[in-house]
Amino acid sequence: MGFDEVFMINLKRRKDRRDRMLQTLGEQGIACKIVSAVDGKALNVSQIQGMGIHMLPGYSDPYHGRPLTKGELGCFLSHYNIWKEIVDRGLKTSLVIEDDLRFEVFFKRRLQNLMYEVEKEKLDWDLIYIGRKRMQVEHPEKSVPKIHNLVEADYSYWTLGYAMSLQGARKLLAAEPLTRMLPVDEFLPVMYNKHPVSDYMEQFEKRDLKAFSAEPLLVFPTHYTGDAGYISDTETSTIWDNEKMRTDWDRARSQKTQEQAELSTEAQNSDVLQSDLDSTARDEL
């Protein structure tokens, strides 16, 4: 697809997800490298501290008011390890996907077309979301001139799918996030200077990540909070330093894994350049 590597994050104990993703990717002719996710639930406090990990002072979940969970810690480390590999191998462009997503119609062609235009227009980019939950819903995001289906990303949740450049991975590692950790999908908006909590942003001096998003999105979660049988590996966990405090006690407030709320007309990204594939994809649905 034009990427130096496609990374797919999967917990070893989630063979069901791994098999489904490999089948789906294979049907699209997409090869990937399976990255064993860090199982935060298997880490104890001594191991966490031994890795030099410290939590961001003052962080609490915006919906529960709780500290970081072991699941969120494992998720962060899984992505962090990929950023390290990108830098160590000198990979210019990579695609990172998690194992609990579904692909939109014509996914491969639409992503190839997007990345072709990004390269053609010589866009200076670090991160491109291909799937996310948009959290800033008061006004539209800025479209990117001369490139179809791309906007400048505002505050967003989720890391289920994104493209990462080599310079972007270097910026994330240079921030030394293990010394002041927060959930990975809170850390990224901090790094592109769009997080609504200024206290978090002020603890990271350089916040110059150049972040964009596909519009419309190309991948979505397979499940959301409230779906029958759905268990979140990140949120259904324990507090990172307290094995007795479980975190799945109030799913009604678990906004992070709930479906994207419908955007008002005023907040729609209506001025983004649309490609012919988008209308064709809508006709296919």
Side-chain angles (χ1 to χ4, degrees):
M1 288 198 300
F3 294 101
D4 295 324
E5 189 68 88
V6 177
F7 296 96
M8 193 264 283
I9 300 172
N10 169 255
L11 278 168
K12 284 186 177 180
R13 57 183 165 85
R14 295 309 300 264
K15 184 178 182 298
D16 55 330
R17 291 184 177 182
R18 180 167 65 253
D19 291 346
R20 183 190 64 82
M21 284 294 292
L22 288 176
Q23 179 180 345
T24 306
L25 290 167
E27 290 170 351
Q28 299 179 80
I30 301 173
C32 73
K33 176 178 180 178
I34 299 174
V35 177
S36 293
V38 176
D39 193 345
K41 295 179 182 179
L43 297 174
N44 59 44
V45 175
S46 297
Q47 290 172 315
I48 294 169
Q49 293 174 340
M51 287 186 275
I53 294 174
H54 300 279
M55 303 305 143
L56 184 77
Y59 172 76
S60 65
D61 180 90
Y63 300 104
H64 297 283
R66 56 157 171 74
L68 203 74
T69 71
K70 282 192 172 184
E72 289 170 332
L73 189 151
C75 181
F76 194 110
L77 290 175
S78 301
H79 286 272
Y80 181 86
N81 289 341
I82 290 176
W83 305 336
K84 281 196 63 178
E85 182 170 342
I86 289 172
V87 172
D88 291 343
R89 292 172 57 191
L91 303 176
K92 291 185 178 179
T93 61
S94 302
L95 182 67
V96 182
I97 55 176
E98 296 179 345
D99 63 2
D100 54 350
L101 57 78
R102 61 176 177 83
F103 299 95
E104 285 291 89
V105 177
F106 303 131
F107 165 77
K108 185 176 180 180
R109 284 174 57 193
R110 293 164 76 181
L111 182 54
Q112 285 175 324
N113 289 352
L114 173 59
M115 298 310 296
Y116 171 77
E117 289 193 12
V118 165
E119 183 175 358
K120 178 185 175 184
E121 297 300 326
K122 296 180 170 55
L123 180 69
D124 186 13
W125 67 277
D126 297 321
L127 167 76
I128 300 176
Y129 289 104
I130 62 170
R132 61 172 177 153
K133 179 176 181 176
R134 186 176 152 195
M135 299 303 291
Q136 184 286 110
V137 295
E138 299 300 320
H139 52 80
E141 295 165 308
K142 185 178 179 181
S143 62
V144 179
K146 300 182 181 179
I147 298 179
H148 291 82
N149 309 115
L150 196 67
V151 296
E152 296 181 10
D154 211 315
Y155 181 41
S156 303
Y157 272 167
W158 301 345
T159 50
L160 69 163
Y162 59 88
M164 177 65 65
S165 72
L166 177 58
Q167 72 171 2
R170 285 174 172 157
K171 288 179 181 180
L172 296 177
L173 296 181
E176 299 183 342
L178 300 192
T179 65
R180 44 206 157 165
M181 186 180 285
L182 68 169
V184 64
D185 58 357
E186 302 274 13
F187 171 63
L188 292 177
V190 165
M191 289 301 293
Y192 58 82
N193 206 39
K194 291 291 186 179
H195 200 287
V197 182
S198 59
D199 287 348
Y200 300 166
M201 293 209 296
E202 289 169 1
Q203 297 185 60
F204 295 89
E205 184 177 354
K206 292 197 72 173
R207 305 186 299 274
D208 59 351
L209 196 75
K210 297 177 176 64
F212 302 87
S213 176
E215 178 68 34
L217 298 171
L218 301 178
V219 297
F220 290 88
T222 54
H223 298 87
Y224 299 96
T225 296
D227 289 354
Y230 172 61
I231 296 175
S232 167
D233 288 318
T234 55
E235 296 210 340
T236 306
S237 182
T238 60
I239 297 301
W240 77 273
D241 61 350
N242 186 346
E243 290 281 354
K244 296 181 180 180
M245 186 175 179
R246 298 200 60 80
T247 59
D248 59 353
W249 52 273
D250 190 0
R251 295 189 180 190
R253 294 170 63 191
S254 186
Q255 300 290 325
K256 184 169 286 189
T257 51
Q258 287 185 358
E259 193 168 0
Q260 172 74 60
E262 187 172 349
L263 299 176
S264 67
T265 303
E266 294 77 14
Q268 298 282 346
N269 292 329
S270 55
D271 64 342
V272 66
L273 290 174
Q274 299 291 334
S275 69
D276 293 338
L277 274 179
D278 294 312
S279 57
T280 305
R282 285 193 292 272
D283 293 340
E284 289 285 326
L285 297 175

